[in-house]
Amino acid sequence: MRVIVVGAGILGSSLAYHAAREGAEVVLLDPMVEGRATAAGAGIICPWASRVTDPDWYRLSGGGARYYPALVERLAEDGETQLSYRRVGALCVPGDEGDLDETEARTRIRAEEAPEAGEVTRLMPEEARALFPPLRPGLAALHVGGAARVDGRLLATAMLRAAERHGAQIHRFPVAALQARDGAVRGVTLENGMVLEADEVVLAAGAWAPPLLAPLGLELAVQPQRGQILHLRLPGVDTRHWPVLLPMSSHYLLAFDDSRVVVGATRETGSGFDHRFTAAGIRQVLDNALGVAPGLADATLHEMRIGFRPMGPDIRPLLGRVPGLEGLVIANGLGAGGLTMGPYAGALLAQLILTGLTEIPLAPYDPLRR
């Protein structure tokens, strides 16, 4: 079977890897434009503490967290070990949008059915600061032992390299159009006019996907949401095992192995593809970060990133086949949860293409719903 994947973000790279690993002939096309969500995503894997109550969202997000250890093991078998994936735990601290009692009750219920969530423990302020030293004094916390973090850039790149080892072809060719005839999509036309044919075409182009579907009379309810995110450095500080910090708001902090702390992020719906860093956006991110972790005030501002999250009509992703149009699979709408759900969703869609079956039903993720 020949599969064309359009888009090399976390979802497209996962699908390409899993399909190639199972023997499909895979061609992945992506011009690697700036602002892809995967390149700027934080990489927090802790769905059990989320305030989102939609059961279908949680089924995919929780499945994504559960799937990570198996994915890491498979990639290691394929020679890819530099993923930055590490189970470091998470600290949930009070904020404007919730308190610890509500979060603890919800997290404990979910953890009872998800052993990968690890131990859930209430911490005194001094215990929380021992785990995340820049934390504001006096903040109690809920510790979720199974939470993890991952660098989306490293993970997507590793899956692409592993896919190539299994025979996948990866090109930075822009796709101009989908080739549709007789009620089926059978390939793509590149911007240089070349036509590539396939048995299946997977559209995983994130917020850039809708214009490719419009000529087919299909409207994909996805729009870009700008996220401004900052990377700080603490030279000489060992941050490898610092937990993810989750205030009860849309902002967060997480640390990586290179004395780097990521703080974010804005959620700017209606932004369009505006690549600018804004004074208000940067101030918002820093104010929230320093409000909960004032010990970061002297950190070095190392890097700023912008990503455009593909936001669907609701919290659930857009995954699956298009009714009445053979050969087309849509993989989109992961929103702010892309690095949690993306690898697992890619594996599910590879199952769909290769076997026609998936381990969880995809009906709730109808890609053309509005």
Side-chain angles (χ1 to χ4, degrees):
M1 175 180 288
R2 181 176 170 87
V3 180
I4 291 176
V5 181
V6 181
I10 195 69
L11 187 44
S13 61
S14 173
L15 193 152
Y17 168 61
H18 287 92
R21 203 172 195 268
E22 293 301 316
E25 181 185 351
V26 175
V27 177
L28 187 142
L29 305 168
D30 193 319
M32 307 296 180
V33 296
E34 285 190 42
R36 292 187 305 156
T38 296
I44 298 168
I45 305 164
C46 185
W48 315 287
S50 173
R51 296 188 304 276
V52 177
T53 58
D54 184 294
D56 295 309
W57 176 91
Y58 180 72
R59 181 176 296 111
L60 195 60
S61 191
R66 186 181 310 114
Y67 181 61
Y68 257 98
L71 174 64
V72 170
E73 183 177 343
R74 288 181 182 134
L75 286 169
E77 292 172 358
D78 288 324
E80 295 296 335
T81 58
Q82 301 302 312
L83 313 176
S84 79
Y85 174 82
R86 189 189 297 274
R87 289 184 64 181
V88 293
L91 291 179
C92 303
V93 298
D96 295 338
E97 299 180 22
D99 59 34
L100 285 186
D101 291 339
E102 179 186 351
T103 301
E104 181 174 4
R106 179 174 59 249
T107 305
R108 288 190 180 280
I109 290 173
R110 288 171 169 171
E112 287 179 359
E113 299 179 353
E116 60 275 7
E119 187 176 2
V120 179
T121 311
R122 195 73 170 254
L123 301 182
M124 299 294 290
E126 57 272 19
E127 295 175 306
R129 285 193 78 200
L131 294 176
F132 197 97
L135 188 64
R136 188 175 81 228
L139 281 181
L142 184 72
H143 184 257
V144 185
R149 46 83 168 157
V150 68
D151 185 312
R153 288 182 176 181
L154 292 179
L155 177 58
T157 299
M159 288 193 290
L160 292 178
R161 282 197 301 257
E164 286 185 298
R165 290 193 185 96
H166 288 284
Q169 302 176 46
I170 299 173
H171 302 291
R172 298 188 64 166
F173 299 151
V175 173
L178 303 177
Q179 281 286 319
R181 59 183 182 273
D182 301 325
V185 171
R186 293 304 182 203
V188 301
T189 302
L190 306 181
E191 283 193 353
N192 63 7
M194 181 183 298
V195 175
L196 300 179
E197 296 187 344
D199 300 297
E200 299 276 357
V201 174
V202 181
L203 187 56
W208 291 266
L212 291 173
L213 290 171
L216 306 183
L218 301 175
E219 187 173 352
L220 187 66
V222 167
Q223 62 174 315
Q225 181 194 71
R226 181 170 62 182
Q228 302 183 55
I229 189 168
L230 306 181
H231 291 232
L232 309 178
R233 281 211 187 263
L234 297 168
V237 178
D238 184 0
T239 58
R240 288 175 296 172
H241 300 287
W242 285 11
V244 173
L245 190 61
L246 297 173
M248 297 297 99
S249 67
S250 62
H251 291 75
Y252 51 78
L253 299 90
L254 66 157
F256 286 90
D257 294 357
D258 52 357
S259 301
R260 179 166 48 103
V261 178
V262 178
V263 300
T266 62
R267 298 193 179 193
E268 301 171 72
T269 302
S271 64
F273 292 104
D274 184 347
H275 288 77
R276 295 177 306 119
F277 295 100
T278 66
I282 299 305
R283 177 178 178 177
Q284 179 192 129
V285 172
L286 285 175
D287 281 352
N288 278 276
L290 297 180
V292 71
L296 294 173
D298 198 41
T300 300
L301 180 53
H302 174 69
E303 184 181 3
M304 301 190 297
R305 298 181 184 179
I306 279 183
F308 296 99
R309 306 179 187 95
M311 304 301 294
D314 50 49
I315 195 68
R316 284 173 276 126
L318 305 170
L319 307 171
R321 295 193 177 279
V322 175
L325 193 60
E326 294 180 7
L328 178 63
V329 172
I330 292 177
N332 212 311
L334 297 185
L339 292 180
T340 298
M341 296 184 282
Y344 180 55
L348 290 175
L349 292 177
Q351 289 177 5
L352 176 68
I353 289 169
L354 297 175
T355 71
L357 302 172
T358 55
E359 64 185 55
I360 67 171
L362 294 185
Y365 314 105
D366 174 10
L368 296 185
R369 71 181 187 278
R370 301 193 58 76

